[in-house]
mmCIF file with all atom_site columns, all heavy atoms in Angstrom:
data_model
loop_
_atom_site.group_PDB
_atom_site.id
_atom_site.type_symbol
_atom_site.label_atom_id
_atom_site.label_alt_id
_atom_site.label_comp_id
_atom_site.label_asym_id
_atom_site.label_entity_id
_atom_site.label_seq_id
_atom_site.pdbx_PDB_ins_code
_atom_site.Cartn_x
_atom_site.Cartn_y
_atom_site.Cartn_z
_atom_site.occupancy
_atom_site.B_iso_or_equiv
_atom_site.pdbx_formal_charge
_atom_site.auth_seq_id
_atom_site.auth_comp_id
_atom_site.auth_asym_id
_atom_site.auth_atom_id
_atom_site.pdbx_PDB_model_num
ATOM 1   N N   . ILE A 1 109 ? 7.886  26.445 24.531 1.00 0.00 ? 1563 ILE A N   1
ATOM 2   C CA  . ILE A 1 109 ? 9.044  26.392 23.643 1.00 0.00 ? 1563 ILE A CA  1
ATOM 3   C C   . ILE A 1 109 ? 10.009 27.491 24.063 1.00 0.00 ? 1563 ILE A C   1
ATOM 4   O O   . ILE A 1 109 ? 9.623  28.657 24.157 1.00 0.00 ? 1563 ILE A O   1
ATOM 5   C CB  . ILE A 1 109 ? 8.613  26.587 22.175 1.00 0.00 ? 1563 ILE A CB  1
ATOM 6   C CG1 . ILE A 1 109 ? 7.663  25.469 21.752 1.00 0.00 ? 1563 ILE A CG1 1
ATOM 7   C CG2 . ILE A 1 109 ? 9.829  26.618 21.269 1.00 0.00 ? 1563 ILE A CG2 1
ATOM 8   C CD1 . ILE A 1 109 ? 7.116  25.652 20.346 1.00 0.00 ? 1563 ILE A CD1 1
ATOM 9   N N   . GLY A 1 110 ? 11.255 27.124 24.270 1.00 0.00 ? 1564 GLY A N   1
ATOM 10  C CA  . GLY A 1 110 ? 12.258 28.080 24.724 1.00 0.00 ? 1564 GLY A CA  1
ATOM 11  C C   . GLY A 1 110 ? 12.802 27.637 26.073 1.00 0.00 ? 1564 GLY A C   1
ATOM 12  O O   . GLY A 1 110 ? 12.545 26.516 26.523 1.00 0.00 ? 1564 GLY A O   1
ATOM 13  N N   . PRO A 1 111 ? 13.573 28.475 26.705 1.00 0.00 ? 1565 PRO A N   1
ATOM 14  C CA  . PRO A 1 111 ? 14.026 29.815 26.310 1.00 0.00 ? 1565 PRO A CA  1
ATOM 15  C C   . PRO A 1 111 ? 15.293 29.753 25.462 1.00 0.00 ? 1565 PRO A C   1
ATOM 16  O O   . PRO A 1 111 ? 15.707 28.668 25.048 1.00 0.00 ? 1565 PRO A O   1
ATOM 17  C CB  . PRO A 1 111 ? 14.303 30.460 27.653 1.00 0.00 ? 1565 PRO A CB  1
ATOM 18  C CG  . PRO A 1 111 ? 14.813 29.327 28.489 1.00 0.00 ? 1565 PRO A CG  1
ATOM 19  C CD  . PRO A 1 111 ? 14.029 28.119 28.058 1.00 0.00 ? 1565 PRO A CD  1
ATOM 20  N N   . ARG A 1 112 ? 15.920 30.910 25.309 1.00 0.00 ? 1566 ARG A N   1
ATOM 21  C CA  . ARG A 1 112 ? 17.078 30.984 24.419 1.00 0.00 ? 1566 ARG A CA  1
ATOM 22  C C   . ARG A 1 112 ? 18.323 30.395 25.069 1.00 0.00 ? 1566 ARG A C   1
ATOM 23  O O   . ARG A 1 112 ? 19.028 29.616 24.444 1.00 0.00 ? 1566 ARG A O   1
ATOM 24  C CB  . ARG A 1 112 ? 17.330 32.441 24.023 1.00 0.00 ? 1566 ARG A CB  1
ATOM 25  C CG  . ARG A 1 112 ? 18.610 32.606 23.196 1.00 0.00 ? 1566 ARG A CG  1
ATOM 26  C CD  . ARG A 1 112 ? 19.010 34.039 23.023 1.00 0.00 ? 1566 ARG A CD  1
ATOM 27  N NE  . ARG A 1 112 ? 20.258 34.186 22.292 1.00 0.00 ? 1566 ARG A NE  1
ATOM 28  C CZ  . ARG A 1 112 ? 20.892 35.322 22.112 1.00 0.00 ? 1566 ARG A CZ  1
ATOM 29  N NH1 . ARG A 1 112 ? 20.381 36.437 22.617 1.00 0.00 ? 1566 ARG A NH1 1
ATOM 30  N NH2 . ARG A 1 112 ? 22.018 35.366 21.419 1.00 0.00 ? 1566 ARG A NH2 1
ATOM 31  N N   . SER A 1 113 ? 18.631 30.768 26.313 1.00 0.00 ? 1567 SER A N   1
ATOM 32  C CA  . SER A 1 113 ? 19.906 30.417 26.928 1.00 0.00 ? 1567 SER A CA  1
ATOM 33  C C   . SER A 1 113 ? 19.739 29.290 27.932 1.00 0.00 ? 1567 SER A C   1
ATOM 34  O O   . SER A 1 113 ? 18.654 29.033 28.451 1.00 0.00 ? 1567 SER A O   1
ATOM 35  C CB  . SER A 1 113 ? 20.538 31.634 27.615 1.00 0.00 ? 1567 SER A CB  1
ATOM 36  O OG  . SER A 1 113 ? 19.751 32.013 28.737 1.00 0.00 ? 1567 SER A OG  1
ATOM 37  N N   . SER A 1 114 ? 20.870 28.628 28.237 1.00 0.00 ? 1568 SER A N   1
ATOM 38  C CA  . SER A 1 114 ? 20.867 27.541 29.213 1.00 0.00 ? 1568 SER A CA  1
ATOM 39  C C   . SER A 1 114 ? 20.624 28.063 30.614 1.00 0.00 ? 1568 SER A C   1
ATOM 40  O O   . SER A 1 114 ? 20.025 27.360 31.448 1.00 0.00 ? 1568 SER A O   1
ATOM 41  C CB  . SER A 1 114 ? 22.214 26.799 29.167 1.00 0.00 ? 1568 SER A CB  1
ATOM 42  O OG  . SER A 1 114 ? 22.440 26.225 27.890 1.00 0.00 ? 1568 SER A OG  1
ATOM 43  N N   . MET A 1 115 ? 21.059 29.304 30.913 1.00 0.00 ? 1569 MET A N   1
ATOM 44  C CA  . MET A 1 115 ? 20.837 29.864 32.251 1.00 0.00 ? 1569 MET A CA  1
ATOM 45  C C   . MET A 1 115 ? 19.353 30.086 32.501 1.00 0.00 ? 1569 MET A C   1
ATOM 46  O O   . MET A 1 115 ? 18.839 29.789 33.584 1.00 0.00 ? 1569 MET A O   1
ATOM 47  C CB  . MET A 1 115 ? 21.609 31.168 32.404 1.00 0.00 ? 1569 MET A CB  1
ATOM 48  C CG  . MET A 1 115 ? 23.126 30.985 32.470 1.00 0.00 ? 1569 MET A CG  1
ATOM 49  S SD  . MET A 1 115 ? 23.842 30.473 30.892 1.00 0.00 ? 1569 MET A SD  1
ATOM 50  C CE  . MET A 1 115 ? 23.578 31.992 29.945 1.00 0.00 ? 1569 MET A CE  1
ATOM 51  N N   . GLN A 1 116 ? 18.664 30.619 31.511 1.00 0.00 ? 1570 GLN A N   1
ATOM 52  C CA  . GLN A 1 116 ? 17.217 30.823 31.656 1.00 0.00 ? 1570 GLN A CA  1
ATOM 53  C C   . GLN A 1 116 ? 16.490 29.477 31.750 1.00 0.00 ? 1570 GLN A C   1
ATOM 54  O O   . GLN A 1 116 ? 15.524 29.334 32.511 1.00 0.00 ? 1570 GLN A O   1
ATOM 55  C CB  . GLN A 1 116 ? 16.686 31.632 30.476 1.00 0.00 ? 1570 GLN A CB  1
ATOM 56  C CG  . GLN A 1 116 ? 17.225 33.046 30.396 1.00 0.00 ? 1570 GLN A CG  1
ATOM 57  C CD  . GLN A 1 116 ? 16.801 33.747 29.127 1.00 0.00 ? 1570 GLN A CD  1
ATOM 58  O OE1 . GLN A 1 116 ? 16.136 33.169 28.274 1.00 0.00 ? 1570 GLN A OE1 1
ATOM 59  N NE2 . GLN A 1 116 ? 17.183 35.020 28.981 1.00 0.00 ? 1570 GLN A NE2 1
ATOM 60  N N   . ALA A 1 117 ? 16.969 28.496 30.992 1.00 0.00 ? 1571 ALA A N   1
ATOM 61  C CA  . ALA A 1 117 ? 16.297 27.195 30.976 1.00 0.00 ? 1571 ALA A CA  1
ATOM 62  C C   . ALA A 1 117 ? 16.375 26.496 32.318 1.00 0.00 ? 1571 ALA A C   1
ATOM 63  O O   . ALA A 1 117 ? 15.463 25.756 32.704 1.00 0.00 ? 1571 ALA A O   1
ATOM 64  C CB  . ALA A 1 117 ? 16.918 26.317 29.891 1.00 0.00 ? 1571 ALA A CB  1
ATOM 65  N N   . GLU A 1 118 ? 17.456 26.730 33.066 1.00 0.00 ? 1572 GLU A N   1
ATOM 66  C CA  . GLU A 1 118 ? 17.619 26.044 34.347 1.00 0.00 ? 1572 GLU A CA  1
ATOM 67  C C   . GLU A 1 118 ? 16.459 26.333 35.295 1.00 0.00 ? 1572 GLU A C   1
ATOM 68  O O   . GLU A 1 118 ? 15.943 25.419 35.951 1.00 0.00 ? 1572 GLU A O   1
ATOM 69  C CB  . GLU A 1 118 ? 18.947 26.446 34.985 1.00 0.00 ? 1572 GLU A CB  1
ATOM 70  C CG  . GLU A 1 118 ? 19.214 25.746 36.299 1.00 0.00 ? 1572 GLU A CG  1
ATOM 71  C CD  . GLU A 1 118 ? 20.524 26.162 36.924 1.00 0.00 ? 1572 GLU A CD  1
ATOM 72  O OE1 . GLU A 1 118 ? 21.170 27.092 36.378 1.00 0.00 ? 1572 GLU A OE1 1
ATOM 73  O OE2 . GLU A 1 118 ? 20.907 25.583 37.948 1.00 0.00 ? 1572 GLU A OE2 1
ATOM 74  N N   . PHE A 1 119 ? 16.032 27.581 35.373 1.00 0.00 ? 1573 PHE A N   1
ATOM 75  C CA  . PHE A 1 119 ? 14.945 27.941 36.285 1.00 0.00 ? 1573 PHE A CA  1
ATOM 76  C C   . PHE A 1 119 ? 13.580 27.573 35.701 1.00 0.00 ? 1573 PHE A C   1
ATOM 77  O O   . PHE A 1 119 ? 12.666 27.190 36.419 1.00 0.00 ? 1573 PHE A O   1
ATOM 78  C CB  . PHE A 1 119 ? 15.005 29.439 36.600 1.00 0.00 ? 1573 PHE A CB  1
ATOM 79  C CG  . PHE A 1 119 ? 16.185 29.808 37.434 1.00 0.00 ? 1573 PHE A CG  1
ATOM 80  C CD1 . PHE A 1 119 ? 17.375 30.212 36.861 1.00 0.00 ? 1573 PHE A CD1 1
ATOM 81  C CD2 . PHE A 1 119 ? 16.114 29.745 38.819 1.00 0.00 ? 1573 PHE A CD2 1
ATOM 82  C CE1 . PHE A 1 119 ? 18.472 30.542 37.627 1.00 0.00 ? 1573 PHE A CE1 1
ATOM 83  C CE2 . PHE A 1 119 ? 17.208 30.085 39.596 1.00 0.00 ? 1573 PHE A CE2 1
ATOM 84  C CZ  . PHE A 1 119 ? 18.395 30.492 39.007 1.00 0.00 ? 1573 PHE A CZ  1
ATOM 85  N N   . MET A 1 120 ? 13.436 27.719 34.384 1.00 0.00 ? 1574 MET A N   1
ATOM 86  C CA  . MET A 1 120 ? 12.165 27.364 33.765 1.00 0.00 ? 1574 MET A CA  1
ATOM 87  C C   . MET A 1 120 ? 11.873 25.871 33.882 1.00 0.00 ? 1574 MET A C   1
ATOM 88  O O   . MET A 1 120 ? 10.721 25.447 34.027 1.00 0.00 ? 1574 MET A O   1
ATOM 89  C CB  . MET A 1 120 ? 12.168 27.783 32.287 1.00 0.00 ? 1574 MET A CB  1
ATOM 90  C CG  . MET A 1 120 ? 12.010 29.280 32.085 1.00 0.00 ? 1574 MET A CG  1
ATOM 91  S SD  . MET A 1 120 ? 11.951 29.716 30.330 1.00 0.00 ? 1574 MET A SD  1
ATOM 92  C CE  . MET A 1 120 ? 10.579 28.710 29.793 1.00 0.00 ? 1574 MET A CE  1
ATOM 93  N N   . ILE A 1 121 ? 12.959 25.048 33.842 1.00 0.00 ? 1575 ILE A N   1
ATOM 94  C CA  . ILE A 1 121 ? 12.765 23.603 33.945 1.00 0.00 ? 1575 ILE A CA  1
ATOM 95  C C   . ILE A 1 121 ? 12.187 23.236 35.310 1.00 0.00 ? 1575 ILE A C   1
ATOM 96  O O   . ILE A 1 121 ? 11.362 22.318 35.423 1.00 0.00 ? 1575 ILE A O   1
ATOM 97  C CB  . ILE A 1 121 ? 14.106 22.888 33.686 1.00 0.00 ? 1575 ILE A CB  1
ATOM 98  C CG1 . ILE A 1 121 ? 14.500 23.030 32.214 1.00 0.00 ? 1575 ILE A CG1 1
ATOM 99  C CG2 . ILE A 1 121 ? 14.023 21.424 34.068 1.00 0.00 ? 1575 ILE A CG2 1
ATOM 100 C CD1 . ILE A 1 121 ? 15.890 22.531 31.915 1.00 0.00 ? 1575 ILE A CD1 1
ATOM 101 N N   . LYS A 1 122 ? 12.596 23.949 36.343 1.00 0.00 ? 1576 LYS A N   1
ATOM 102 C CA  . LYS A 1 122 ? 12.065 23.660 37.678 1.00 0.00 ? 1576 LYS A CA  1
ATOM 103 C C   . LYS A 1 122 ? 10.563 23.935 37.734 1.00 0.00 ? 1576 LYS A C   1
ATOM 104 O O   . LYS A 1 122 ? 9.806  23.171 38.350 1.00 0.00 ? 1576 LYS A O   1
ATOM 105 C CB  . LYS A 1 122 ? 12.810 24.498 38.712 1.00 0.00 ? 1576 LYS A CB  1
ATOM 106 C CG  . LYS A 1 122 ? 14.285 24.127 38.842 1.00 0.00 ? 1576 LYS A CG  1
ATOM 107 C CD  . LYS A 1 122 ? 14.991 24.989 39.866 1.00 0.00 ? 1576 LYS A CD  1
ATOM 108 C CE  . LYS A 1 122 ? 16.467 24.602 39.982 1.00 0.00 ? 1576 LYS A CE  1
ATOM 109 N NZ  . LYS A 1 122 ? 17.189 25.438 40.956 1.00 0.00 ? 1576 LYS A NZ  1
ATOM 110 N N   . LEU A 1 123 ? 10.124 25.026 37.097 1.00 0.00 ? 1577 LEU A N   1
ATOM 111 C CA  . LEU A 1 123 ? 8.691  25.295 37.025 1.00 0.00 ? 1577 LEU A CA  1
ATOM 112 C C   . LEU A 1 123 ? 7.968  24.221 36.218 1.00 0.00 ? 1577 LEU A C   1
ATOM 113 O O   . LEU A 1 123 ? 6.868  23.779 36.580 1.00 0.00 ? 1577 LEU A O   1
ATOM 114 C CB  . LEU A 1 123 ? 8.448  26.670 36.394 1.00 0.00 ? 1577 LEU A CB  1
ATOM 115 C CG  . LEU A 1 123 ? 8.814  27.893 37.240 1.00 0.00 ? 1577 LEU A CG  1
ATOM 116 C CD1 . LEU A 1 123 ? 8.669  29.161 36.413 1.00 0.00 ? 1577 LEU A CD1 1
ATOM 117 C CD2 . LEU A 1 123 ? 7.936  27.970 38.473 1.00 0.00 ? 1577 LEU A CD2 1
ATOM 118 N N   . ALA A 1 124 ? 8.584  23.807 35.117 1.00 0.00 ? 1578 ALA A N   1
ATOM 119 C CA  . ALA A 1 124 ? 7.967  22.782 34.270 1.00 0.00 ? 1578 ALA A CA  1
ATOM 120 C C   . ALA A 1 124 ? 7.796  21.476 35.036 1.00 0.00 ? 1578 ALA A C   1
ATOM 121 O O   . ALA A 1 124 ? 6.763  20.795 34.926 1.00 0.00 ? 1578 ALA A O   1
ATOM 122 C CB  . ALA A 1 124 ? 8.807  22.566 33.024 1.00 0.00 ? 1578 ALA A CB  1
ATOM 123 N N   . ASN A 1 125 ? 8.804  21.097 35.821 1.00 0.00 ? 1579 ASN A N   1
ATOM 124 C CA  . ASN A 1 125 ? 8.700  19.872 36.613 1.00 0.00 ? 1579 ASN A CA  1
ATOM 125 C C   . ASN A 1 125 ? 7.599  19.977 37.666 1.00 0.00 ? 1579 ASN A C   1
ATOM 126 O O   . ASN A 1 125 ? 6.884  19.002 37.935 1.00 0.00 ? 1579 ASN A O   1
ATOM 127 C CB  . ASN A 1 125 ? 10.037 19.570 37.290 1.00 0.00 ? 1579 ASN A CB  1
ATOM 128 C CG  . ASN A 1 125 ? 11.122 19.216 36.291 1.00 0.00 ? 1579 ASN A CG  1
ATOM 129 O OD1 . ASN A 1 125 ? 10.827 18.760 35.190 1.00 0.00 ? 1579 ASN A OD1 1
ATOM 130 N ND2 . ASN A 1 125 ? 12.369 19.423 36.669 1.00 0.00 ? 1579 ASN A ND2 1
#
Side-chain angles (χ1 to χ4, degrees):
I1563 299 176
R1566 175 191 177 187
S1567 68
S1568 299
M1569 290 70 69
Q1570 295 173 358
E1572 182 181 6
F1573 291 92
M1574 285 182 57
I1575 290 172
K1576 294 179 180 179
L1577 289 173
N1579 293 335

